[in-house]
Amino acid sequence: MAETVSAGAQAPSAHRAQSSRADFTIEQNWGAYSAEEHAVWSTLFHRQQSVLRGRACAEFLAGVRELGVVADAIPDFQKLDGVLRQATGWSIVAVPGLVPDAVFFEHLANRRFPATCFIRRRDQLDYLQEPDVFHDIFGHVPMLMNPVFADYMQAYGQGGLKARGLGALDHLARLYWYTVEFGLIATSEGLRIYGSGIVSSKGESVYCLESSRPNRLGFDLMRVMRTRYRIDDFQTTYFVIRDFDELFKATRPDFTPYYATLSGLSPLDPETILPEDRVLHRGKPI
Ligand code: PHE
Ligand code: FE
């Protein structure tokens, strides 16, 4: 998916074993995590808990609480699965890492979230170019406790299967990137984070809200699907939604004609600002 990047050298681990199944799922093998792996989770969890107070949106924080993910240990997917199913009908399946687009979309379209099992090493606390269990479980799953967001993710999976057939994955991937991974939301209390790529990063959780460097632009579907993104550094532009209904409504129509329009437009660099943009903050170089 959007996060496709080459992985750094990793110690071989039971949690990165390749799947022999067509849907790429594996067993989480919870009993095989070492004390050090649980400790890395614990460190990451504590850091984000304190940084996200007053920065993450209420829906995310409520999701963390209601799911019952805690600092003690890497969660057992089976236990979370029960809570999540009850709340929104989503389930969690374990995978060794990134899976092919079609497989990823098929899982989402069926309300299954593919979660990576392995955890980063202690020397990678701040930065990892691929999803691990902390990003996937702490970053993504809490939002799936929210009914509107849960429906959005399923619709995205269905839309992905269609976009593949239309050769429009680049456009759709940008939408995922700027919403699911790096989305901000304007609340009555101020700007808040809902993007999973941000909530699982200590540095970006502060930067995305408090730095004067990045642009913060009002969400516009076509604009987002034209905008390239960077995978190697903090974002230089964030798109801000007003509420999750706005996102859900904007993405409800059939995208087929949108893709036709987009194929005639050149992609925009992430730093570009257009005259028609709703600029909440214009980035200043630092
Ligand atoms: N409605 C979109 C389509 O027809 C599917 C979609 C829904 C895409 C939600 C993204 C998010 O392709
Ligand atoms: Fe992700």
Side-chain angles (χ1 to χ4, degrees), residues 26-94:
I26 57 175
E27 296 303 316
Q28 184 193 10
N29 207 352
W30 189 82
Y33 290 115
S34 66
E36 168 62 8
E37 287 175 316
H38 286 303
V40 169
W41 169 278
S42 214
T43 303
L44 289 165
F45 188 96
H46 281 304
R47 290 190 344 168
Q48 291 313 97
Q49 271 298 84
S50 66
V51 100
L52 291 177
R53 222 166 289 133
R55 291 196 176 93
C57 68
E59 290 82 352
F60 175 83
L61 296 172
V64 173
R65 227 175 19 250
E66 288 158 18
L67 260 179
V69 273
V70 288
D72 309 7
I74 297 170
D76 180 339
F77 292 1
Q78 252 168 16
K79 292 188 185 146
L80 295 188
D81 197 75
V83 186
L84 187 58
R85 272 177 201 270
Q86 271 288 324
T88 57
W90 272 76
S91 61
I92 301 171
V93 292

Side-chain angles (χ1 to χ4, degrees), residues 1-3 98 104 113-114 130-132 135-136 139-140 153 176-177 180-182 195-197 200:
M1 228 347 285
E3 296 161 274
L98 292 166
F104 180 71
F113 187 75
E130 59 174 339
D132 71 342
H135 170 77
D136 278 342
H140 284 282
M153 286 289 276
Y176 191 88
W177 190 264
V180 177
E181 295 291 356
F182 291 96
S196 310
S200 56

Side-chain angles (χ1 to χ4, degrees), residues 138-207:
F138 182 87
H140 284 282
V141 176
M143 288 307 296
L144 293 173
M145 293 287 284
N146 178 266
V148 177
F149 201 81
D151 287 348
Y152 173 69
M153 286 289 276
Q154 177 180 23
Y156 184 87
Q158 293 163 338
L161 293 170
K162 187 172 68 187
R164 256 186 103 231
L166 296 169
L169 277 190
D170 285 357
H171 294 124
L172 194 64
R174 292 179 189 139
L175 176 62
Y176 191 88
W177 190 264
Y178 284 116
T179 61
V180 177
E181 295 291 356
F182 291 96
L184 297 180
I185 181 166
T187 76
S188 53
E189 286 161 353
L191 270 194
R192 293 289 185 273
I193 306 162
Y194 72 92
S196 310
I198 309 177
V199 293
S200 56
S201 158
K202 185 176 171 229
E204 194 151 4
S205 290
V206 175
Y207 163 92

Side-chain angles (χ1 to χ4, degrees), residues 88-110:
T88 57
W90 272 76
S91 61
I92 301 171
V93 292
V95 291
L98 292 166
V99 301
D101 291 334
V103 174
F104 180 71
F105 295 141
E106 189 68 38
H107 281 305
L108 296 188
N110 289 286

